[in-house]
Structure formats: structure tokens, C-alpha cells
Amino acid sequence: MTNLPSIKQLQYLIAVHQHQHFGRAAEACFIGQSTLSSAIQTLEETLGCQLIERENRSLMFTDIGEEVVIRAKKIIADTMSVKELTKSYKHPLSGKLTLGVIPTVASFIAAPLYQFCLQQFNQLQLVLVEDTSDKLLDKLEHGHIDMAMLALPYHTERFHTQVLAKDHFSLVHHQDYEIAADVSDLNLLPDKSVFLLEREHCMTGHALSACHLNRSDCINPFEAANLHTLLSMVEYQNGVTFLPQMALNAGILQGKPIVTNGVLGDAYREIGLLWRKTTGRIHDFRLFSEKVGEFVNQQCEQAKKEN
Amino acid sequence: MTNLPSIKQLQYLIAVHQHQHFGRAAEACFIGQSTLSSAIQTLEETLGCQLIERENRSLMFTDIGEEVVIRAKKIIADTMSVKELTKSYKHPLSGKLTLGVIPTVASFIAAPLYQFCLQQFNQLQLVLVEDTSDKLLDKLEHGHIDMAMLALPYHTERFHTQVLAKDHFSLVHHQDYEIAADVSDLNLLPDKSVFLLEREHCMTGHALSACHLNRSDCINPFEAANLHTLLSMVEYQNGVTFLPQMALNAGILQGKPIVTNGVLGDAYREIGLLWRKTTGRIHDFRLFSEKVGEFVNQQCEQAKKEN
DNA sequence: AATAAATGATCAGATATTGCGATAGATAAA
DNA sequence: TTTATCTATCGCAATATCTGATCATTTATT
């Protein structure tokens, strides 16, 4: 058996790297400075090379030291995930779970989702975070959130993706606005009559591709930052836009002189849950996505036979 | 600081999993049986759940135990790679290095490459292994070989790929075989006049795509398993085939009544080195690929102004 | 049924590792 | 020079790891 570095040694090394200071690192690890000093020395011995250059009053990690720190971090993270794994096995869906949700979903289901989880998982302390898709993926990668709920398709190989539900788009317009009864090809809509969210918004892309909108002339250059601004434009400028079923079910049109023109056949976005592939709480997440999947499906349900 | 499982405990757990037997596992770890027994118990305690069901005369890993073993293996591998990393830093390119090479490369450069490495890296004990691309990637994944040299493009995201050199294809044919002086479009060659290796062979694909051969009629249905069989067919059946520069430079046509029709403009395969992304010998491999890259380039060099 | 072999758990005691506190040594700041 | 800061070192204590002998249980053999 080869003599490998120990978990503790790696933890201590990481601490020194974080604090760039032996004393403070030792404090953070709840051990004495001397202990840490000798631990690092032993580690350097087993690895057969210097990791840290101790100078007058400052530290300096060697190239190889930096590389070792990177790998050590991964090893520690993996080891902690083993503990998480066994813990979530013993106490399913307990403790804190931080879920990131994109705005065009959170607006409509954050509150009922929170209520739902409170009932379903009474051991769980759910924390919701609202942000854009990009930001959420960043947070997910860095461990600031445990899972992300966003609209698919969204290109990412980095994480495990679990599809929960289809959320169909409907065409909506002012109740007085006359529109051809049969709008099979949406590209035939009048010039500048289609209002959308800002271009960077993932829902804009989803609406465009799901509705096969390729004639840019019919799209109004105005870019809304949120759905309510968008709706007010549609209301006053007598245009049209696309709303996901989830928004309609949440009553976004209530009290407004805007009506839906019915669901558009195969135009939909998908709601999905993402998590880190290396997570230790895989059981938790599977269980969570199963239950929440049912809930989200319900939120996206199309009213049967509604005239 | 949370109480994490130790590296040793994980190693012992893996040993028990491998041997499915406490006694033999202990032996393999060079520790007493009692030590191992208590180590596993301590591990189960820190993880808070049972990993192994000890029965009458047999072992049985629990579901969670199996999962822990999988993750433990990764942690141990990563930890060992840290040791490798520092070792290769102290003694660059020393010890054993096992390199897999595909047949259509190995045939021509295995011997001179071995000689080259003997001179360049006198601390290195190079072991060459010849096998097909697929098999080599399998071996690479399972750690049976350290690097693989194969012909690109070859689709794989699993490994780091380092391109070494372009190896151009030339059209060759029997010296008495008349061929249009200007064969700009190879699809115009006579029916069944093009001989190739078997369909599964990566060089077949590379030749086809590099030479933009899309008219299947001109390809002879015979499939050769190696280049020498292929050449004998070309020789006796008066057909043509494509050979990489590497083969020509190695003198494969010497003594044969076969001549080259000159290099085909942009028709080439690339020779590349692949290694596991998580390797600890990254410095070694970079150094190796740099030097060997020069060597392979030389082996693929096209004779200037040769008439 | 009696006996032997196999296997993992347990215990006391040895050894190794990890920990602490005090202090030394070296350097920079006052 | 004095003081403050910082890591290394040393003796010693606590803890973890390891060993060898032994136990309890089950299975195979006689």
C-alpha cells in the first residue's frame, strides 16, 4: 500500500491556501498553529516536494502546490458528498435545500410551490432564489444553490437535467383586437404586432422557436424586461404576445382586457430541474423532482374544454 | 470541521468490496483482520449507516454501501493522482509509461518511436501496446494504458486530446496502371477500382472523408484487414488505394511494383495523443507529447520537390 | 453427533499519529 | 533597541490505528 496523503492534511492545506496564513488557517480548522505547521510538513514529505514557500512575512504556494490545492479541493468535496449521500439516505429530504428558479417561472409558482413543499416535506427547509438562467447555473456550479429550476431547452452538459413538465404557449391579445380566426402561420401576423421580452431572455427564444416565428418584421422592436410591462404594451398598443400556460393559470390576465386566443398546438417550453452530477444528495433530488414534477404539471395543466 | 471518513478507511472498504472477504482484504492491505474489521465499523459509524451486511459465511454490500464504494474508488484514484503529480514533477518522465498505438500507426513508427524515446527519455521505461481505437480507449479508461496514440478525428469527450501531426494521404496504384493525370475528383475513378481496409477500420473512414469519396460504386467490395493484404490486392487487381505519408516514408512500397500518384491536397488524417483528463502525470504527458510530436511530424514529412 | 475449519467481532495492549502549549528563531515595524 | 508578527521546533498528552489472541457462530467433514 502506498502512503497517501490523509484527508485532514488536504483540508489543512486548503485552509492555508484560503487564508494565506498559518495562524488564521489553524484557527479556522480549530487546531493549534504548531499542529498545522507539522501537518503541512508531513504532507510535503509524503508528496516528496515543497508545496509552500515560507518567506519572511508572507506565504507563497509553489506551482505544484497550487495544482495540489485544486485537486485537494475536489477530493474533499467528493468525500463530503459521501457523507451527504449517507445522511440523505437516513433522513430523506431533511435539512436545508436551496432551489434557484428563473423569473418567468418563479413569478407564478414560487409561492404555491413553497406551500406545497411545506406540506409534502415537513422536514425540509426550502430556500427559494430567483435569478436568470445563466446566473443560476453559475450559482449551481459554485454550490451556492443545490438545484436550479429553469426553462428548457437550455444547453448545458455540466449538470444532470430532469424534465418536469411541458408548459404550452398561448397567443393573447386585447379583447377588441381583431385577429384572423385561423392563425396557423404566426408569421402572417401584421408588422410590429408581436411583443416579446428582451432578447436575452430565455423565454423570448423559447417563444420564437416554439412558434416557428422567423419573419422578424412582425416583431415589435420594443423589449420588455418583465411580463407585466409586456402585457401593458400589448394592452395599450393593441398587439399580441405569447404567454405560458403557467402564467395564465396563475391569473395574470385577471382584470385585464386581454384574452387568450387558445393554445398553440406544439408550441411549448419545458420546465426542468438541474443538479450537479456529483451531488451526494441524489436520492433527495430524485424524490424531490418526482413530487415537484407532479406539482408543476398541475400548474401547467390546460383547462379541458374551456371555451 | 465535520468528521469525514479517512483515506485509509475508504481504501479498506474498497478492498473488502474487491475480495468480498474480510480476511483476504486485510491481507491485501497488509493489516490484520481485526484492524480491518474495526476500521469498517468506524467508517460505518461516521457515515451513520450500515455499508456491509455480514451474514453467516458471506458478505453483502448494502445499496448505500455499493454507492459509497463507487465514490470511494474515485476519491482514492484522485488522491493517488496527486502523488503521481508530485512524483512526475520531481522526476520528469521516469518510470513506466504504457502507450497504446493503433495498427495503422504502430506498423510504421513503433520501432523508431521506441528508439527515439530510449534516447530522449533515458529514465523512461516505455511499453507499447497495439490495438484498435475502441479497445485502446477502453484500456485508457480502465487504466491499463497511460496514453493512446490514434488517428483523428475520433469522437471522444472523455479524454484530453493533443494533436501531434497531419498525415497526408497519397493515391497509389500499380506502376502499369494508367490513371488520368489529373484526378481532381476521385469519384470519377473507374468502378470497383478503389481498395480499402475493412469498413470498421478508422483509416477507411478517414480516407473516405478526407478524399471526399461519396460515390460508392468506385469502391471495391473487398475489405482488407491490414495494409499488406490491401497492397497485394492493389498489386494484382490493378486498382488504387490511399496510403498515409507515414507508411510511404516507412518504405512500404519498396520492392513493390506500386507507385504513388502524389499527395492529395487537403486529404489527411491527424495523429493525436489522448490521456485521462484526471491524470496526475500531466507534466509528463505534456513533455512527452511535445517531443514525440516533433518525432511524428518528421515521420509524416512530405519529401520536398521529389519528382 | 462430534469434530474441524472458516469467519467476523471483540478485547487488552503496543505503536503511530495527531494534538497542545511553550518557546525558539527570524524578520519587519516602531 | 524594542516590540510585534510569524512559522518551526520540542516535549508531552490524547487519540487513532494496529496487533495477536480469543470468542461466537456457522458450515463442512468425519
Side-chain angles (χ1 to χ4, degrees):
Chain A
M1 283 275 160
T2 44
N3 187 22
L4 293 178
S6 79
I7 292 284
K8 285 192 177 175
Q9 287 169 346
L10 296 181
Q11 281 181 306
Y12 297 162
L13 183 74
I14 293 169
V16 174
H17 188 258
Q18 274 179 341
H19 294 89
Q20 293 287 319
H21 190 288
F22 274 69
R24 283 193 289 279
E27 213 173 327
C29 294
F30 304 108
I31 56 171
Q33 171 266 316
S34 62
T35 306
L36 194 149
S37 177
S38 61
I40 298 293
Q41 281 178 70
T42 319
L43 177 60
E44 288 183 322
E45 222 166 282
T46 63
L47 291 183
C49 67
Q50 197 178 14
L51 302 175
I52 304 173
E53 285 177 28
R54 292 85 155 166
E55 263 171 70
N56 328 339
R57 238 167 150 72
S58 67
L59 285 184
M60 180 80 166
F61 272 71
T62 61
D63 288 355
I64 192 81
E66 292 283 353
E67 183 67 33
V68 170
V69 166
I70 292 172
R71 286 159 189 264
K73 278 181 180 167
K74 204 160 126 36
I75 291 169
I76 298 302
D78 287 348
T79 309
M80 289 201 294
S81 92
V82 170
K83 270 214 82 167
E84 273 183 348
L85 177 76
T86 53
K87 190 189 160 202
S88 81
Y89 180 83
K90 274 224 117 176
H91 309 285
L93 283 171
S94 69
K96 195 166 153 186
L97 184 90
T98 308
L99 172 66
V101 187
I102 56 170
T104 54
V105 171
S107 305
F108 313 115
I109 70 165
L113 175 64
Y114 189 81
Q115 278 303 114
F116 176 81
C117 291
L118 220 58
Q119 290 169 11
Q120 290 282 319
F121 319 115
N122 53 7
Q123 297 297 312
L124 189 71
Q125 183 192 342
L126 182 66
V127 177
L128 292 178
V129 172
E130 184 179 358
D131 213 329
T132 60
S133 301
D134 281 342
K135 298 266 184 62
L136 286 181
L137 292 186
D138 266 7
K139 289 182 176 174
L140 187 57
E141 178 143 43
H142 295 107
H144 300 142
I145 60 176
D146 299 314
M147 308 177 89
M149 182 183 288
L150 35 88
L152 311 175
Y154 199 89
H155 166 75
T156 172
E157 287 290 302
R158 288 183 290 171
F159 306 107
H160 174 86
T161 303
Q162 182 76 46
V163 179
L164 298 185
K166 285 184 182 179
D167 191 21
H168 285 263
F169 285 110
S170 286
L171 182 67
V172 302
H173 55 83
H174 194 284
Q175 59 194 19
D176 300 336
Y177 183 71
E178 286 295 318
I179 198 164
D182 180 10
V183 277
S184 59
D185 186 353
L186 299 170
N187 288 297
L188 301 178
L189 287 166
D191 274 13
K192 300 191 179 173
S193 68
V194 178
F195 289 83
L196 294 171
L197 290 177
E198 52 197 0
R199 193 170 301 276
E200 306 78 41
H201 216 100
C202 66
M203 210 178 85
T204 305
H206 289 149
L208 285 175
S209 68
C211 302
H212 308 105
L213 264 175
N214 43 39
R215 192 180 69 94
S216 60
D217 286 343
C218 62
I219 297 164
N220 195 292
F222 175 77
E223 297 185 5
N226 68 69
L227 281 177
H228 298 91
T229 311
L230 179 65
L231 280 182
S232 75
M233 289 299 285
V234 171
E235 186 176 344
Y236 290 106
Q237 301 250 347
N238 279 344
V240 307
T241 191
F242 306 100
L243 287 181
Q245 190 66 39
M246 183 186 284
L248 298 175
N249 288 350
I252 195 175
L253 297 185
Q254 263 171 24
K256 288 204 175 68
I258 301 181
V259 296
T260 168
N261 200 46
V263 168
L264 301 162
D266 62 343
Y268 59 84
R269 61 176 186 173
E270 284 180 316
I271 310 300
L273 275 177
L274 281 72
W275 58 75
R276 288 181 296 279
K277 286 176 178 170
T278 56
T279 182
R281 299 175 76 180
I282 179 74
H283 283 110
D284 273 8
F285 295 171
R286 289 236 180 83
L287 196 57
F288 184 84
S289 72
E290 197 177 313
K291 292 286 180 190
V292 170
E294 292 172 18
F295 172 81
V296 174
N297 255 299
Q298 190 185 311
Q299 298 295 310
C300 300
E301 211 160 56
Q302 299 160 43
K304 312 275 188 218
K305 302 266 170 59
E306 191 191 336
N307 232 1
Chain B
M1 283 274 160
T2 44
N3 187 22
L4 294 177
S6 78
I7 292 285
K8 284 191 178 177
Q9 287 168 348
L10 297 181
Q11 282 182 305
Y12 297 164
L13 184 73
I14 293 170
V16 174
H17 189 258
Q18 275 180 339
H19 295 91
Q20 293 286 319
H21 190 286
F22 274 69
R24 283 193 289 279
E27 212 174 329
C29 296
F30 303 108
I31 57 171
Q33 172 265 316
S34 63
T35 306
L36 194 149
S37 177
S38 61
I40 298 293
Q41 281 177 68
T42 319
L43 177 61
E44 287 183 323
E45 224 166 279
T46 63
L47 291 183
C49 67
Q50 196 177 13
L51 303 175
I52 304 174
E53 285 177 27
R54 293 84 156 167
E55 263 170 70
N56 328 338
R57 236 166 152 72
S58 67
L59 286 184
M60 181 78 166
F61 272 71
T62 61
D63 288 355
I64 192 80
E66 293 282 352
E67 183 67 34
V68 170
V69 166
I70 291 171
R71 286 159 188 264
K73 279 182 181 168
K74 199 163 143 2
I75 292 169
I76 298 302
D78 286 348
T79 309
M80 290 202 293
S81 90
V82 170
K83 272 215 79 168
E84 275 182 348
L85 177 75
T86 52
K87 191 189 159 201
S88 81
Y89 180 83
K90 274 226 116 176
H91 309 286
L93 284 171
S94 69
K96 195 166 152 186
L97 185 94
T98 308
L99 171 66
V101 186
I102 55 170
T104 54
V105 170
S107 302
F108 312 116
I109 71 166
L113 174 64
Y114 188 81
Q115 279 303 114
F116 176 79
C117 292
L118 219 57
Q119 289 168 13
Q120 290 281 319
F121 319 116
N122 53 8
Q123 297 295 314
L124 189 72
Q125 185 191 343
L126 182 67
V127 178
L128 291 177
V129 173
E130 185 178 358
D131 214 327
T132 61
S133 301
D134 281 342
K135 297 267 185 62
L136 286 181
L137 292 185
D138 266 7
K139 288 182 177 175
L140 186 58
E141 178 144 42
H142 294 106
H144 299 141
I145 60 177
D146 299 312
M147 309 177 89
M149 181 183 289
L150 34 87
L152 313 174
Y154 200 90
H155 166 76
T156 173
E157 287 289 299
R158 289 182 289 170
F159 306 107
H160 173 86
T161 303
Q162 182 76 47
V163 179
L164 298 185
K166 286 184 182 177
D167 192 21
H168 286 264
F169 286 109
S170 287
L171 182 67
V172 302
H173 56 81
H174 194 284
Q175 59 193 20
D176 300 336
Y177 184 69
E178 284 297 318
I179 198 166
D182 181 10
V183 277
S184 60
D185 186 353
L186 299 170
N187 287 298
L188 301 179
L189 287 166
D191 274 15
K192 301 190 178 172
S193 68
V194 178
F195 288 85
L196 294 170
L197 290 177
E198 52 198 358
R199 194 169 301 275
E200 306 79 42
H201 217 99
C202 66
M203 208 178 87
T204 304
H206 288 149
L208 284 175
S209 68
C211 301
H212 308 104
L213 263 174
N214 43 39
R215 191 181 69 96
S216 61
D217 286 344
C218 63
I219 296 163
N220 194 292
F222 175 76
E223 297 185 6
N226 68 70
L227 282 177
H228 297 92
T229 310
L230 178 65
L231 280 183
S232 75
M233 291 299 284
V234 172
E235 185 177 342
Y236 289 106
Q237 302 248 348
N238 281 344
V240 307
T241 192
F242 306 99
L243 287 182
Q245 190 65 41
M246 184 186 283
L248 299 176
N249 288 350
I252 195 175
L253 297 185
Q254 262 172 25
K256 289 202 173 71
I258 301 181
V259 295
T260 168
N261 200 46
V263 168
L264 299 161
D266 63 343
Y268 59 84
R269 61 175 186 174
E270 284 180 315
I271 309 300
L273 274 177
L274 281 73
W275 57 76
R276 289 182 295 278
K277 284 176 179 169
T278 56
T279 183
R281 299 175 76 179
I282 179 74
H283 282 109
D284 272 9
F285 294 172
R286 290 236 180 84
L287 196 58
F288 184 83
S289 72
E290 197 177 312
K291 291 286 179 190
V292 170
E294 292 172 18
F295 172 80
V296 174
N297 256 297
Q298 190 185 309
Q299 298 294 309
C300 300
E301 211 161 56
Q302 299 159 43
K304 312 272 187 220
K305 305 267 168 59
E306 193 193 335
N307 231 1

